Amino acid sequence: MNKYNPPRMNPSSLRSRFATRFLRTLSKINAQKPTSSSSPTEIFRRYRRIKAAADKSMAYSVRSRRTWSRAMLWKLRTRPCGRRSVKTSTIIKSREARKTRHEKQNKNTTTTTTTTTGEDGVVFGVEADELRELVPGGEAMDLYNLLDETAHYIKCLTTQVQVMKKIADFYSP
Amino acid sequence: MLHRLESLESCTYDRMDMTVLERQAARFKWQQQNYVVQNNNPVELCASSVPQFQGLVGSNLGSGQMVELKRLEVFLGTDNFQEFMNFPVTGPEFGDSEKLDLLPPEAAADYCISRTSSCQMTALDTAVMKEEREDMILEKMESTIGSGRGSFNKRKAETVADHKSKDKKIKGEGESEVKTKCSTEISRNSSKENSKASEVQKPDYIHVRARRGQATDSHSLAERARREKLSKKMKCLQDLVPGCNKITGKAGMLDEIINYVQSLQRQVEFLSMKIAALNSSVENLPMKEFPAYVANFPAAAKLPEMAGLPCFQLNPLQKESVNCMLNETMHPPQTEGIASASVSISEQSLSSSSMTQLQPFSTWSWNMDPQDTVPGNGIISTLQEGIQYQMPLFTFLQDIFQ
């Protein structure tokens, strides 16, 4: 057989990091429920888990270098899960309360900044709010940082979509 | 300083009975005296700038600037400009000509006033004469001659007198010579000017370009810098979002970005749903090949983080093995049994990303043997064949992943 040196995929690229993490999690999910029924609820549950796994693996690949990844990780960690005990749920509630308070404060500061920055704040008022809702952790950012985070978030989302597309193609018969 | 000019005027007018020549000589003498003190006292520059201006006219006014001056003529009206033009003409003949209108003294006084103000500024004096007329006129001169307005205001804070600023000094003096009384034209005309930018030099600050016809206070400059940053960011986003080249305007761009982010998020959701659905139907078929591939794939050992990938490198092989199995008439229950056995193996292999090559393979083969020899052999043979196919498959998958 002819052997040729294949072009090595960069092991530290965002794509490979995400792919390996996601595949690992995916296999865990598959392994945990070997005899999965094809009921819609089951599928839906798997979907939720897979989606969370995708988001989590993407956020971990970015490694809290970005505000949106930090916010996403925080959200995933404090996501209400059925298995959590009462004690942890109270902790989660308090954390959430603190977070909302913090976010409110940030919102106040950001709203003041956006209003004082003149025409840009006025022009981008509605769209900026929409963007803030879309990008995780976007509530506490001014417009410039928001655009920065959006750019990186778009890049990571495209990577995620590409990898998941390939995985789905592999899985499909 | 003003009173000095007034004194000049008064002295000239008091000696109205003197001959013109005597008047000229007295003035010249006075100017010469002031010229000496020029470097020491910037206030005294008023008259000394006349020879400076003459020098300026002689040396610095190139064709371009002459064009500017002519343009100035258009804006300012011709009268004062004529005087201005005449002034240097009469300058060299100062001591010689016998005729001297009364107008030039006035003009000279006016020019002196403007010159002093400009000289004050050019002498980097922070105490600026804030005669509104002069400011506007100076700005107008700026705009017409070609240096940015910002440079004038910023010069007040300048402490560095390098060559460029010197040129601007001289320019400023030249500009001030063309003094007009029509201040209303300035605001109108400034907007029509070309957007020639001038560099502002601040020793400790960020260099900012103030374009012509734009406000130059610090707030607006900061605002402009921020706006430029934002527009740069928007351009980067435009490159990321496909199909945004046609859209101009920030609002449209932002809408497009929002739509794109939403579509990407929806795609992720859809794909995860698809994977979930596919997983439920496929069950653990890919899991079978995990240990084999992990065992047989030496490259995986080198790149531990690629341990997850081998499971998907199996797929072409998986299909092959499935075909083999089907050919060997292996029925699903057996495969399920194999699947259940392999699950534990796959767990082991996945948890340990390092290579324990032979062990899982042996257990796998051991599991296979009791089932059925022919299919097992078939599978093993296909796996053995798979060993040979490792590298191309890996590259194939690499390509797909890339």
Side-chain angles (χ1 to χ4, degrees):
Chain A
M1 264 202 65
N2 294 334
K3 274 197 176 178
Y4 66 101
N5 287 330
R8 290 264 169 199
M9 191 174 356
N10 182 13
S12 60
S13 74
L14 176 71
R15 187 191 295 236
S16 62
R17 284 202 307 264
F18 168 70
T20 51
R21 274 213 183 87
F22 183 53
L23 288 167
R24 243 179 249 154
T25 327
L26 205 55
S27 56
K28 270 184 208 164
I29 292 170
N30 287 339
Q32 277 168 12
K33 292 184 179 178
T35 54
S36 57
S37 57
S38 29
S39 62
T41 47
E42 198 61 43
I43 290 177
F44 184 72
R45 248 182 247 167
R46 284 165 70 89
Y47 147 68
R48 290 300 297 239
R49 293 186 67 190
I50 288 170
K51 183 167 180 293
D55 292 337
K56 209 171 193 177
S57 41
M58 178 49 77
Y60 269 119
S61 306
V62 181
R63 280 223 181 274
S64 71
R65 258 183 273 131
R66 288 274 166 176
T67 315
W68 69 264
S69 67
R70 287 195 292 269
M72 191 182 258
L73 283 170
W74 201 95
K75 209 190 292 178
L76 288 165
R77 273 183 207 142
T78 58
R79 197 167 57 100
C81 189
R83 293 184 191 173
R84 287 193 187 267
S85 61
V86 178
K87 197 178 179 186
T88 48
S89 62
T90 49
I91 294 169
I92 290 157
K93 274 182 194 165
S94 61
R95 246 190 248 160
E96 272 176 343
R98 243 184 289 144
K99 193 198 177 192
T100 47
R101 247 184 286 130
H102 180 63
E103 275 182 356
K104 270 182 197 164
Q105 286 171 2
N106 283 339
K107 226 179 210 172
N108 289 335
T109 51
T110 46
T111 46
T112 49
T113 50
T114 46
T115 46
T116 52
T117 46
E119 50 187 80
D120 284 336
V122 173
V123 169
F124 295 143
V126 180
E127 290 94 349
D129 290 338
E130 281 187 35
L131 204 55
R132 285 205 175 88
E133 284 170 29
L134 285 175
V135 177
E139 297 90 2
M141 278 191 281
D142 59 328
L143 190 61
Y144 182 73
N145 290 329
L146 181 67
L147 290 179
D148 216 11
E149 295 287 321
T150 310
H152 194 261
Y153 187 57
I154 285 174
K155 178 183 152 202
C156 293
L157 273 179
T158 47
T159 320
Q160 203 175 7
V161 163
Q162 282 169 7
V163 172
M164 288 177 79
K165 239 186 227 176
K166 306 254 171 74
I167 291 170
D169 290 339
F170 282 144
Y171 264 124
S172 60
Chain B
M1 165 224 46
L2 268 170
H3 64 271
R4 293 191 66 95
L5 300 166
E6 287 165 1
S7 66
L8 163 68
E9 277 179 316
S10 61
C11 77
T12 51
Y13 291 136
D14 283 340
R15 299 177 204 171
M16 285 289 280
D17 53 333
M18 291 168 60
T19 61
V20 172
L21 191 58
E22 284 176 6
R23 228 185 308 158
Q24 283 178 10
R27 185 179 307 154
F28 197 58
K29 211 175 168 186
W30 182 84
Q31 284 170 356
Q32 272 186 335
Q33 284 170 2
N34 285 333
Y35 192 76
V36 173
V37 234
Q38 170 194 354
N39 297 324
N40 302 333
N41 193 355
V43 180
E44 309 298 327
L45 276 175
C46 59
S48 63
S49 55
V50 172
Q52 271 188 4
F53 174 73
Q54 292 166 14
L56 163 73
V57 170
S59 59
N60 289 355
L61 279 182
S63 58
Q65 281 174 322
M66 288 307 291
V67 171
E68 300 284 355
L69 290 171
K70 277 175 190 160
R71 267 175 56 216
L72 187 62
E73 182 182 351
V74 172
F75 292 124
L76 303 177
T78 56
D79 296 338
N80 292 336
F81 193 68
Q82 285 302 321
E83 286 169 27
F84 165 66
M85 288 305 293
N86 288 332
F87 192 59
V89 172
T90 58
E93 307 165 318
F94 225 69
D96 303 329
S97 68
E98 297 195 349
K99 271 194 180 174
L100 198 67
D101 298 333
L102 288 175
L103 215 46
E106 282 179 11
D110 284 343
Y111 295 146
C112 282
I113 294 167
S114 61
R115 243 176 280 130
T116 42
S117 61
S118 72
C119 293
Q120 268 190 340
M121 293 172 71
T122 58
L124 312 174
D125 204 344
T126 51
V128 183
M129 273 183 45
K130 273 300 177 186
E131 279 191 46
E132 190 189 357
R133 186 177 59 150
E134 282 160 357
D135 273 347
M136 309 251 285
I137 287 159
L138 286 169
E139 286 171 353
K140 172 149 189 130
M141 299 312 114
E142 257 186 347
S143 57
T144 52
I145 299 297
S147 49
R149 197 187 278 192
S151 67
F152 244 89
N153 288 345
K154 296 300 171 197
R155 237 184 279 158
K156 300 170 196 169
E158 255 183 334
T159 54
V160 180
D162 49 347
H163 182 65
K164 259 189 182 174
S165 60
K166 249 190 200 168
D167 287 341
K168 284 182 187 162
K169 265 191 250 176
I170 296 166
K171 261 189 200 173
E173 289 168 3
E175 292 159 9
S176 66
E177 295 308 321
V178 193
K179 199 175 176 196
T180 64
K181 322 253 160 131
C182 47
S183 52
T184 53
E185 284 185 355
I186 293 161
S187 47
R188 260 185 279 133
N189 293 329
S190 58
S191 54
K192 299 177 198 168
E193 303 296 348
N194 300 331
S195 62
K196 194 175 172 187
S198 74
E199 200 172 340
V200 175
Q201 289 165 10
K202 274 185 177 177
D204 301 329
Y205 297 88
I206 302 165
H207 287 202
V208 177
R209 284 183 185 270
R211 293 204 196 95
R212 274 171 71 173
Q214 287 181 350
T216 52
D217 54 323
S218 62
H219 290 295
S220 49
L221 276 172
E223 185 66 34
R224 198 172 311 123
R226 205 180 138 274
R227 252 179 274 149
E228 281 170 8
K229 265 202 308 182
L230 272 169
S231 60
K232 228 198 295 181
K233 260 286 158 245
M234 294 292 284
K235 277 187 197 135
C236 295
L237 278 168
Q238 236 178 357
D239 296 332
L240 275 175
V241 178
C244 259
N245 305 323
K246 305 158 196 170
I247 296 169
T248 51
K250 294 177 189 171
M253 258 306 298
L254 264 184
D255 281 334
E256 199 62 36
I257 289 164
I258 287 165
N259 287 337
Y260 189 60
V261 170
Q262 277 175 342
S263 75
L264 282 174
Q265 285 177 339
R266 274 189 228 124
Q267 263 183 316
V268 168
E269 287 182 17
F270 170 72
L271 283 167
S272 56
M273 181 78 84
K274 193 175 174 188
I275 289 170
L278 285 171
N279 261 354
S280 62
S281 67
V282 171
E283 287 188 4
N284 290 313
L285 213 52
M287 294 296 178
K288 251 192 281 184
E289 274 71 30
F290 277 2
Y293 238 98
V294 168
N296 295 329
F297 207 75
K302 293 170 195 169
L303 301 163
E305 64 268 15
M306 305 284 269
L309 277 174
C311 70
F312 288 98
Q313 299 161 4
L314 295 172
N315 254 339
L317 184 63
Q318 162 207 337
K319 285 174 186 168
E320 231 181 353
S321 60
V322 166
N323 289 335
C324 288
M325 279 195 281
L326 287 171
N327 291 337
E328 307 292 338
T329 66
M330 207 172 208
H331 50 87
Q334 282 183 331
T335 56
E336 271 182 23
I338 294 162
S340 57
S342 65
V343 163
S344 53
I345 296 162
S346 64
E347 286 288 281
Q348 287 173 18
S349 59
L350 281 171
S351 56
S352 66
S353 54
S354 60
M355 288 315 304
T356 53
Q357 299 192 14
L358 297 172
Q359 197 180 358
F361 188 71
S362 58
T363 48
W364 166 254
S365 57
W366 181 82
N367 279 333
M368 281 308 301
D369 283 338
Q371 299 287 335
D372 207 345
T373 53
V374 176
N377 286 338
I379 290 169
I380 289 170
S381 62
T382 51
L383 286 170
Q384 281 170 345
E385 280 172 354
I387 294 166
Q388 301 167 12
Y389 293 137
Q390 282 166 30
M391 293 306 288
L393 275 169
F394 183 59
T395 59
F396 164 70
L397 286 153
Q398 264 186 344
D399 295 333
I400 287 170
F401 263 81
Q402 282 165 0

